[in-house]
């Protein structure tokens, strides 16, 4: 392991430990459920939450390092029971740098129904580019969940998938982006539930969804400013 990879692992362990507090902050997890992982750039490694450890007890030192087959490489604790799923996503989707899993209440309620979340909100169009899709049922422990995530999200704008009868998995260019997607997924799911409880939500035109998605992904936020010409 090179000095540079060791440095990246140390930084990512700190980042991933800190990002788990966002899951509790936004009430996306209960007890020890849920996890965040991050790919180690330039290597076939990832860092991930250990299995069954309280969020209050997570530190950089407790976050474990695995290879992309899910085998423990560094750390004193057993890795998450979802490690094989995360590893499969990283192997199949080289553009993904972070994966998150939650059982957040509203989004998981849609997963329990086996139903995708239709796009009726500008915020959903911004972040997800359309519906939040439903993925297949798969048992925990092997890489079948990972296969379902990849099969559902490949070629899809959404960084989130509702795995049927299970919960939410999100992906991102890094772990922070995946956590943001998990937060936004629950927010959208809650509003969609309330809208449906009140009546029939109003559909959005696909052209409007496309325009909103393009603006948010390419224009929204702070953009680099070109230096003034002399």
């Amino acid at each position: 392991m090179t000095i540079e990879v060791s440095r990246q692992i140390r930084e990512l362990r700190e980042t991933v430990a800190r990002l788990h507090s966002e899951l509790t902050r936004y009430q996306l997890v209960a007890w020890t459920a849920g996890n965040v992982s991050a790919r180690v750039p330039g290597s076939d490694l990832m860092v991930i939450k250990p299995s069954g450890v309280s969020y209050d007890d997570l530190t950089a030192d407790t976050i474990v390092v695995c290879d992309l087959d899910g085998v423990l490489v560094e750390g004193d604790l057993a890795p998450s029971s979802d490690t094989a799923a995360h590893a499969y996503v990283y192997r199949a989707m080289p553009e993904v740098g972070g994966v998150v899993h939650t059982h957040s209440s509203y989004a998981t309620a849609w997963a329990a129904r086996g139903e995708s979340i239709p796009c009726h909100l500008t915020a959903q169009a911004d972040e997800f580019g359309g519906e939040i899709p439903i993925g297949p049922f798969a048992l925990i422990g092997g890489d079948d969940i990972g296969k379902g995530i990849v099969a559902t999200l490949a070629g899809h704008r959404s960084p989130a998938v509702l795995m049927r009868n299970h919960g939410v998995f999100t992906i991102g260019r890094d772990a922070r982006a995946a956590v943001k997607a998990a937060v936004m997924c629950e927010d959208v799911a809650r509003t969609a539930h309330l809208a449906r409880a009140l009546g029939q939500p109003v559909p959005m035109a696909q052209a409007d969804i496309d325009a909103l998605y393009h603006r948010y992904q390419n224009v929204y936020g702070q953009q680099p400013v070109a230096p003034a010409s002399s």
Side-chain angles (χ1 to χ4, degrees):
M1 189 180 297
T2 67
I3 294 175
E4 176 61 19
V5 170
S6 295
R7 181 190 64 79
Q8 288 179 323
I9 287 174
R10 184 173 63 254
E11 292 178 352
L12 283 173
R13 288 173 103 172
E14 292 172 353
T15 297
V16 167
R18 185 174 63 252
L19 283 172
H20 278 89
S21 67
E22 297 297 303
L23 303 189
T24 56
R25 175 187 178 191
Y26 288 98
Q27 300 182 326
L28 304 185
V29 294
W31 203 241
T32 62
N35 38 70
V36 179
S37 74
R39 183 197 295 271
V40 180
S43 71
D44 291 330
L45 298 171
M46 67 179 188
V47 302
I48 192 167
K49 177 183 178 289
S51 178
V53 174
S54 168
Y55 281 80
D56 290 338
D57 295 332
L58 288 179
T59 65
D61 290 337
T62 61
I63 300 299
V64 299
V65 183
C66 295
D67 66 21
L68 297 191
D69 290 316
V71 177
L72 182 67
V73 171
E74 185 178 316
D76 299 324
L77 300 170
S80 166
S81 59
D82 293 306
T83 297
H86 288 240
Y88 186 91
V89 172
Y90 290 128
R91 293 199 307 271
M93 305 179 82
E95 72 278 12
V96 171
V99 179
V100 171
H101 173 46
T102 78
H103 299 154
S104 59
S105 299
Y106 284 89
T108 301
W110 287 82
R113 292 175 49 148
E115 184 177 356
S116 61
I117 304 176
C119 188
H120 297 303
L121 301 165
T122 59
Q124 184 173 343
D126 288 344
E127 185 72 29
F128 301 96
E131 70 168 8
I132 299 175
I134 189 76
F137 175 77
L139 291 175
I140 300 168
D143 60 11
D144 286 347
I145 290 174
K147 292 176 181 177
I149 295 167
V150 171
T152 306
L153 293 184
H156 204 291
R157 287 173 174 172
S158 175
V161 55
L162 312 176
M163 294 300 286
R164 185 167 63 83
N165 302 110
H166 186 174
V168 180
F169 281 85
T170 60
I171 59 176
R173 65 184 179 278
D174 55 29
R176 185 177 185 276
V179 169
K180 178 192 176 187
V183 172
M184 297 304 296
C185 180
E186 178 65 2
D187 184 63
V188 164
R190 179 171 53 247
T191 307
H193 167 78
L194 293 172
R196 185 171 287 188
L198 291 170
Q200 181 60 43
V202 177
M204 294 178 65
Q206 186 61 51
D208 293 333
I209 293 172
D210 293 344
L212 287 161
Y213 181 74
H214 174 77
R215 179 200 65 89
Y216 188 76
Q217 300 297 323
N218 299 291
V219 179
Y220 176 81
Q222 301 302 310
Q223 303 298 320
V225 177
S229 57
S230 56

